[in-house]
């Protein structure tokens, strides 16, 4: 009986040694894959740990920022209250200081007015006049009232004139010509004092020209008297025909502003 001859297309069975070699290679590949997987897992675990640590730091930082913001908002709120209270206190102090300054200025003005009333001669020294005498407000009020009744002035003009500080009657030394001085006395003369002196002198001038009281005549001169004068008031004097008489408690005359 003939033995069949293997075809060229058929593979010869593997030898046992080859099978073992394949198994060893397969085992080595499995071991390498296991090591790669273990390394990958270890790397992933390390990465996850780093991410967790980073997230924890981030959460901690955010919590600190929120806490800091809360503290800042609290401090700002407390400071806002303190600042508001401080502003209120400053406002009250400023108002009190302003009232005090006004009171002091009023007292100084009264003192200066009294001094001028008791020493009318200071106006003669500046204006070159003699026979200076103080006219009482009662006398001027009576003349102004008669002028109002006669229609020479209005009731508002009468009220305005009655608020003038001083009225002085004098004569010019050179020719004995009579003059009436309408004086506004202020510790520091300002533009309003100049305006008042001019307005009230104009009213008295109307009375003397229209009503013509028998015992009072002459040119009316508006006067502002004080220890000092503002630059604005000083520049306004020539436009309103007002004369500034500087007074310093009867000690020495102050200099007009340059």
């Amino acid at each position: 009986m003939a033995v069949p001859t293997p075809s060229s297309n058929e593979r010869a069975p593997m030898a046992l040694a080859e099978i073992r070699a394949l198994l060893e290679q397969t085992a080595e590949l499995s071991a390498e894959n296991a090591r790669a997987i273990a390394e990958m897992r270890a790397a992933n675990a390390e990465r996850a740990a780093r991410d967790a640590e980073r997230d924890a730091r981030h959460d901690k930082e955010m919590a600190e920022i929120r806490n800091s913001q809360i503290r800042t908002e609290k401090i700002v709120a407390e400071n806002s209250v303190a600042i508001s209270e401080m502003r209120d206190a400053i406002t009250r102090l400023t108002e009190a200081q302003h009232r005090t300054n006004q009171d002091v200025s009023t007292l100084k003005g009264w003192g200066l007015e009294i001094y001028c009333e008791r020493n009318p001669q200071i106006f003669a020294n500046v204006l070159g006049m003699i026979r200076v005498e103080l006219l009482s407000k009662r006398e001027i009020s009576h003349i102004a009232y008669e002028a109002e009744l006669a229609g020479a002035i209005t009731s508002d003009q009468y009220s305005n004139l009655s608020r003038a500080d001083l009225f002085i009657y004098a004569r010019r030394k050179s020719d004995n010509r009579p003059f009436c001085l309408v004086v506004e006395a202020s510790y520091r003369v300002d533009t309003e004092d100049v305006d008042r002196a001019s307005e009230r002198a104009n009213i008295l001038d109307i009375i003397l020209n229209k009503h013509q009281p028998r015992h009072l005549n002459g040119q009316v001169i508006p006067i502002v008297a004080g220890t000092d004068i503002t630059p604005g008031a000083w520049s306004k004097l020539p436009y309103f025909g007002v004369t500034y008489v500087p007074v310093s408690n009867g000690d020495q005359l102050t200099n007009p502003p340059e």
Side-chain angles (χ1 to χ4, degrees), residues 28 56 68 118 127 149 151 157 202 216 246-247:
E28 289 178 359
S68 177
R118 293 179 178 177
L127 302 173
L149 291 178
Q157 288 175 318
N202 288 335
L216 190 64
V247 183

Side-chain angles (χ1 to χ4, degrees), residues 60-177:
K60 182 178 179 181
E61 290 173 356
M62 292 302 297
E64 291 177 351
I65 291 173
R66 285 193 294 270
N67 292 334
S68 177
Q69 183 176 0
I70 292 172
R71 290 193 300 270
T72 301
E73 290 174 353
K74 182 179 179 181
I75 292 173
V76 169
E78 293 174 350
N79 288 340
S80 298
V81 173
I83 291 172
S84 178
E85 292 176 349
M86 185 180 298
R87 285 176 178 170
D88 291 340
I90 292 174
T91 299
R92 290 193 297 270
L93 287 173
T94 301
E95 291 174 350
Q97 184 63 45
H98 181 65
R99 289 192 298 270
T100 300
N101 291 340
Q102 286 183 324
D103 293 341
V104 171
S105 179
T106 300
L107 290 173
K108 288 180 176 180
W110 287 347
L112 183 68
E113 182 179 340
I114 293 172
Y115 176 80
C116 292
E117 184 177 349
R118 293 179 178 177
N119 300 274
Q121 190 63 33
I122 61 175
F123 299 99
N125 297 336
V126 175
L127 302 173
M129 294 182 177
I130 59 174
R131 298 174 59 185
V132 178
E133 60 178 305
L134 186 69
L135 297 173
S136 69
K137 290 186 178 181
R138 182 177 180 181
E139 180 180 1
I140 297 297
S141 179
H142 178 71
I143 295 172
Y145 179 68
E146 290 181 344
E148 181 187 353
L149 291 178
I153 62 172
T154 65
S155 59
D156 289 340
Q157 288 175 318
Y158 168 82
S159 299
N160 191 358
L161 182 62
S162 65
R163 290 193 295 270
D165 293 332
L166 298 173
F167 299 93
I168 295 174
Y169 191 70
R171 292 183 178 274
R172 188 158 57 191
K173 188 175 183 180
S174 59
D175 56 9
N176 204 38
R177 183 179 176 183

Side-chain angles (χ1 to χ4, degrees), residues 201-213:
N202 288 335
I203 296 170
L204 183 58
D205 186 64
I206 292 173
I207 294 173
L208 297 187
N209 284 283
K210 289 187 176 182
H211 186 57
Q212 295 182 343

Side-chain angles (χ1 to χ4, degrees), residues 6-97:
S7 172
S8 60
N9 294 329
E10 294 181 358
R11 295 182 61 182
M14 295 179 63
L16 181 59
E18 292 178 350
I19 293 173
R20 288 178 177 174
L22 288 174
L23 290 175
E24 289 177 358
Q25 291 178 359
T26 301
E28 289 178 359
L29 290 174
S30 297
E32 290 178 359
N33 289 337
R35 286 193 300 272
I37 292 171
E39 290 176 355
M40 185 181 299
R41 288 176 176 173
N44 289 337
E46 184 179 355
R47 187 180 302 108
R50 288 197 303 270
D51 292 343
E53 183 180 358
R54 182 194 61 200
D55 292 341
R57 286 198 306 269
H58 179 266
D59 292 341
K60 182 178 179 181
E61 290 173 356
M62 292 302 297
E64 291 177 351
I65 291 173
R66 285 193 294 270
N67 292 334
S68 177
Q69 183 176 0
I70 292 172
R71 290 193 300 270
T72 301
E73 290 174 353
K74 182 179 179 181
I75 292 173
V76 169
E78 293 174 350
N79 288 340
S80 298
V81 173
I83 291 172
S84 178
E85 292 176 349
M86 185 180 298
R87 285 176 178 170
D88 291 340
I90 292 174
T91 299
R92 290 193 297 270
L93 287 173
T94 301
E95 291 174 350
Q97 184 63 45

